[in-house]
Amino acid sequence: MAKLSFEDKYKLYETSVQNHETDIDFINKEYRKFFKKKPLSLREDFGGTAAMACDWVKQSSDHKAWGVDFDIEPINYGKDNHYSKLTPAEQARMQYIEGNVLEDRDFKSDVIVAFNFSYFIFKEREVLLNYFKKVREGLNDNGAFFIDLFGGTEACQEMVEETEHDDHTYFWDCDSYNPITSEVQYYIHFKYQGKKHEKVFSYNWRMWGLKELQDIMKDAGFSSVIPYWEGEDGDGGGDGNFYPTKVEENCESWVTYICALK
């Protein structure tokens, strides 16, 4: 069976998985609550195509962003499909960095994000702690670090979730989970133009818990760590509104944010 093209692979991923417009709105709203001003600079760690960073600089002539990733393939897709559509002035305020998120940087930003659960690639607490320390060093004094995470009673069950989109079907496949190490193997499959494409993306991660992550962030030196939860709509699903909280009921599946202030 023919493999998905380079272009289709990332187009389908972004359509199925990313909603960076919502992420940017959430960051702006919460940052303003904390610091009474809008954030202007963003570093997108594990940025891949850096679609979010490209959208970030569109907000005003004062906004700038960096997208950090060690894989040149999604970076090239991002340059061709997102960066190329920016104005020359916007391009001057957006930079791709092909490199490791654990490396030191010669700049600081108001906001750093690690979305799409990408930091789950760090399986050892010491390594994740080191990453969080690097993030804190990379923030301005009025700086905020945002991550997303997922969990729930079904998060580690071996099952495939299927989601229909306008022109394709997206499959999120939990292939295996090791309760001894909390390691999990996930795959993303797509059905596109009548063909099923298996294991287009593969993720061998450690599942980190919400409380674990808060504790590691505090150990990394963050002054405050705020967990969020999503409200429910009338059908019992998520309504897209996230609020800080300390007590909630577990459910089959949830996705939420944590914010850590420098």
Side-chain angles (χ1 to χ4, degrees), residues 40-44 47-58 60-69 74-75 78-80 82-98 107:
L40 296 177
S41 52
L42 169 90
R43 191 180 96 195
E44 185 182 2
T49 67
M52 180 179 180
C54 288
D55 270 2
W56 182 267
V57 300
K58 295 177 184 178
S60 82
S61 60
D62 294 322
H63 283 75
K64 57 185 177 181
W66 301 265
V68 182
D69 203 286
I75 288 176
K79 288 180 177 179
D80 291 343
H82 302 304
Y83 183 82
S84 65
K85 297 175 183 176
L86 300 176
T87 67
E90 290 166 347
Q91 289 180 351
R93 292 182 277 107
M94 160 58 198
Q95 180 183 349
Y96 284 90
I97 299 174
E98 183 187 353
F107 61 88

Side-chain angles (χ1 to χ4, degrees), residues 8-239:
D8 287 339
K9 174 180 175 180
Y10 291 103
K11 179 188 72 173
L12 294 174
Y13 174 87
E14 290 182 344
T15 302
S16 302
V17 174
Q18 292 186 305
N19 191 349
H20 48 271
E21 296 88 350
T22 298
D23 292 331
I24 289 174
D25 288 344
F26 176 77
I27 289 166
N28 284 333
K29 178 171 64 95
E30 296 305 311
Y31 188 96
R32 187 182 289 274
K33 285 181 184 177
F34 300 133
F35 300 115
K36 312 304 179 190
K37 63 178 183 178
K38 65 173 114 174
L40 296 177
S41 52
L42 169 90
R43 191 180 96 195
E44 185 182 2
D45 281 356
F46 309 96
T49 67
M52 180 179 180
C54 288
D55 270 2
W56 182 267
V57 300
K58 295 177 184 178
Q59 295 181 88
S60 82
S61 60
D62 294 322
H63 283 75
K64 57 185 177 181
W66 301 265
V68 182
D69 203 286
F70 60 46
D71 189 345
I72 193 62
E73 183 179 275
I75 288 176
N76 286 337
Y77 177 89
K79 288 180 177 179
D80 291 343
N81 293 274
H82 302 304
Y83 183 82
S84 65
K85 297 175 183 176
L86 300 176
T87 67
E90 290 166 347
Q91 289 180 351
R93 292 182 277 107
M94 160 58 198
Q95 180 183 349
Y96 284 90
I97 299 174
E98 183 187 353
N100 194 315
V101 297
L102 295 173
E103 296 170 347
D104 294 326
R105 301 290 165 210
D106 60 358
F107 61 88
K108 296 182 185 293
S109 59
D110 294 333
V111 171
I112 296 176
V113 301
F115 284 157
N116 299 113
F117 328 121
S118 46
Y119 59 93
F120 279 18
I121 196 172
F122 298 135
K123 298 180 181 180
E124 301 297 328
R125 190 185 195 278
E126 183 178 353
V127 179
L128 187 61
L129 174 62
N130 180 45
Y131 169 60
F132 287 169
K133 287 179 177 177
K134 292 285 188 185
V135 167
R136 188 175 178 276
E137 292 170 4
L139 288 168
N140 291 322
D141 288 342
N142 289 334
F145 176 42
F146 292 86
I147 63 173
D148 59 2
L149 66 153
F150 71 103
T153 57
E154 291 185 350
C156 297
Q157 290 186 13
E158 296 179 11
M159 59 186 296
V160 180
E161 296 178 23
E162 183 176 338
T163 305
E164 296 288 340
H165 292 272
D166 289 342
D167 64 347
H168 70 280
T169 305
Y170 162 80
F171 302 88
W172 179 243
D173 180 358
C174 180
D175 184 71
S176 63
Y177 172 69
N178 183 346
I180 307 300
T181 63
S182 293
E183 290 180 277
V184 64
Q185 177 65 57
Y186 284 101
Y187 296 108
I188 290 177
H189 320 297
F190 295 110
K191 185 176 181 182
Y192 181 59
Q193 295 180 342
K195 296 179 180 178
K196 178 82 176 287
H197 300 273
E198 301 276 353
K199 301 181 180 179
V200 179
F201 293 95
S202 174
Y203 306 96
N204 189 263
W205 284 338
R206 170 172 171 175
M207 291 295 296
W208 291 99
L210 203 159
K211 182 63 169 70
E212 280 183 300
L213 292 168
Q214 293 176 76
D215 290 344
I216 299 171
M217 286 174 161
K218 290 173 183 175
D219 288 347
F222 286 98
S223 63
S224 181
V225 180
I226 303 100
Y228 292 82
W229 204 252
E230 187 177 12
E232 288 189 5
D233 60 21
D235 298 323
D239 65 1

